[in-house]
Amino acid sequence: MAKIIVTGGCGYIGSHTIVDLLEHGYEVICIDNNSRSHATVLNAVEKITGKTVKHYKIDLCNYEDTCAVFEEHTDISGVIHFAAYKAVGESVEQPLLYFENNLISLINLLKCVDEFGVSHFVFSSSCTVYGNPDSIPVTEDTPIKKAESPYGSTKQISEQIIEDYAKNSAAEHILLRYFNPAGAHPSALMGELPLGKPQNLVPAITQTAIGKLEKLWVHGNDYPTRDGSCIRDYIHVCDLAHAHTLALRYLEQEKNEKSCEIFNLGTGNGNTVLEAIHAFEKTSGVALNYAIGPRRSGDVIAIYANNDRAQKVLGWQAKYSLEDIMSTAWKWEQELKAGQTVFN
Ligand code: WQD
């Protein structure tokens, strides 16, 4: 059974990916300093899978502590690297915090991958690297434009570090460019847990619907789109999780042609903010209290994925719809309110 280190494994996408890996026969070690996550999510992982995950609460910016994990587990075949700060607004206010945390942790991890002969490295990247694309849908060959935030810059620089390192590394690498992750595990035992007021649309919708937020503000409806609000590619977190398992399997089967390959992970469908709101209202039966507010600086007007490569090369297929995203997110929000989760 291949043993995988998942960094940031207590986070939203990381924890859902651990569930998928365990369900597909992997053994998983989690590294997470819980600075932006809750270790209790691993209890939910155990409830869902019946399996336990060894957790190392260490900071990847500490090279010695990171090495110690690899020294203890000399049979690690792969690493999936999620751990990073990811709040666009915070990155604008504190760019050095983002560059230090996101880049030092990556470099330390790559040094360990090299030193301990790990074969496969999968990196959590983002469609943010495309900036405001000139044409959509974007393919993996769409030119990278100037990032709209320091967060986006850390993803662009991280990709460059991995691509340059891969040229002379014995390991094989995959960069996964996520579009907009959303939704929750169908069991409603885990889901998105924003710290403070949610920045992302779907948790802002469900928190408004449950009454935690008084109103949802739509950040602008005067964009050049079909209804004036921004277009995004919302992808269910479980679809995203399974893509990581398929990426590892692709590398294990040595099907990769290059030592660093890139895949877009989006559904290929673009929906506006107002369409997302209406999809929520339709699936939940709840009329949402929202109003049109000013544009949010840094917002991309429209982006969604050409996901042909992920489909053809990884054999990946998005199974969940926008309505599934809304219904699972809503069920999760209701569980949180009822105090029925491991986080309560
Ligand atoms: C989506 C749309 C908002 C909240 C960011 C990161 C990306 C990834 C996902 C980490 C936009 C609008 C939102 C609200 C709104 N993060 N909106 N009212 O900005 O596309 O992507 O999060 O990997 O890298 O850049 O996601 O959900 O914040 O916004 O109108 O209360 O919803 O303006 O048009 P975004 P988002």
Side-chain angles (χ1 to χ4, degrees):
M1 180 192 297
K3 190 188 280 188
I4 305 295
I5 283 182
V6 174
T7 74
C10 294
Y12 172 46
I13 306 169
S15 55
H16 285 78
T17 300
I18 289 179
V19 166
D20 199 85
L21 289 169
L22 293 172
E23 288 176 340
H24 289 83
Y26 288 93
E27 184 180 349
V28 176
I29 304 286
C30 171
I31 294 180
D32 195 314
N33 66 2
N34 296 130
S35 62
R36 305 287 175 95
S37 62
H38 305 272
T40 43
V41 72
L42 297 177
N43 299 340
V45 169
E46 186 172 353
K47 276 188 181 177
I48 293 167
T49 64
K51 297 178 181 175
T52 56
V53 173
K54 190 162 176 54
H55 172 209
Y56 292 85
K57 188 173 178 178
I58 59 124
D59 186 343
L60 292 169
C61 289
N62 181 313
Y63 178 64
E64 288 68 30
D65 288 353
T66 305
C67 264
V69 179
F70 286 83
E71 280 157 358
E72 186 179 337
H73 298 274
T74 53
D75 52 349
I76 297 294
S77 68
V79 171
I80 303 180
H81 181 38
F82 292 103
Y85 294 157
K86 58 143 227 159
V88 171
E90 182 187 45
S91 78
V92 172
E93 289 154 20
Q94 303 187 66
L96 295 182
L97 174 74
Y98 271 66
F99 285 114
E100 180 180 48
N101 183 68
N102 291 5
L103 301 182
I104 299 295
S105 54
L106 170 68
I107 291 165
N108 282 345
L109 203 53
L110 290 173
K111 284 159 75 174
C112 288
V113 163
D114 204 40
E115 189 177 336
F116 293 92
V118 176
S119 304
H120 308 129
F121 188 82
V122 177
F123 177 67
S124 164
S125 190
S126 168
C127 63
T128 306
V129 302
Y130 294 111
N132 240 321
D134 294 329
S135 66
I136 48 177
V138 292
T139 72
E140 291 81 358
D141 299 322
T142 294
I144 299 294
K145 294 178 70 179
K146 181 163 174 23
E148 299 281 337
S149 69
Y151 161 74
S153 295
T154 67
K155 288 299 181 186
Q156 288 180 343
I157 297 166
S158 295
E159 287 197 355
Q160 194 58 63
I161 289 170
I162 298 165
E163 286 182 326
D164 288 347
Y165 159 76
K167 292 184 180 104
N168 296 313
S169 157
E172 306 299 325
H173 310 75
I174 283 182
L175 311 178
L176 297 177
R177 289 177 179 164
Y178 308 156
F179 282 69
N180 283 61
H185 193 271
S187 67
L189 290 172
M190 59 189 202
E192 198 164 0
L193 263 181
L195 299 171
K197 186 176 182 301
Q199 294 304 304
N200 292 138
L201 178 64
V202 175
I205 287 174
T206 57
Q207 287 198 14
T208 300
I210 204 100
K212 280 179 82 172
L213 293 176
E214 193 258 328
K215 180 184 294 187
L216 175 84
W217 288 96
V218 173
H219 298 321
N221 71 341
D222 57 351
Y223 287 99
T225 64
R226 50 185 176 267
D227 64 17
S229 61
C230 293
I231 291 173
R232 294 290 184 278
D233 186 332
Y234 297 96
I235 174 172
H236 195 282
V237 64
C238 291
D239 280 330
L240 198 54
H242 188 52
H244 293 75
T245 303
L246 294 176
L248 282 176
R249 195 173 292 166
Y250 171 70
L251 294 178
E252 286 159 2
Q253 293 166 354
E254 299 179 356
K255 291 181 176 176
N256 56 307
E257 289 158 11
K258 295 191 294 181
S259 65
C260 185
E261 295 190 8
I262 301 172
F263 295 90
N264 281 340
L265 290 181
T267 64
N269 302 312
N271 284 108
T272 70
V273 174
L274 292 170
E275 287 166 352
I277 290 171
H278 297 146
F280 173 80
E281 292 181 319
K282 181 181 154 202
T283 42
S284 65
V286 173
L288 198 71
N289 180 23
Y290 69 93
I292 306 298
R295 291 183 174 190
R296 180 173 73 174
S297 66
D299 266 342
V300 162
I301 298 167
I303 189 166
Y304 60 94
N306 173 313
N307 61 10
D308 289 349
R309 259 180 65 74
Q311 291 194 72
K312 289 180 186 136
V313 176
L314 296 183
W316 176 80
Q317 186 72 40
K319 294 190 179 72
Y320 294 86
S321 66
L322 182 63
E323 286 71 24
D324 294 327
I325 284 175
M326 296 302 176
S327 61
T328 54
W330 180 228
K331 192 175 162 199
W332 167 242
E333 191 69 61
Q334 291 173 300
E335 285 296 291
L336 281 172
K337 179 169 185 180
Q340 302 302 316
T341 75
V342 296
F343 304 101
N344 293 105

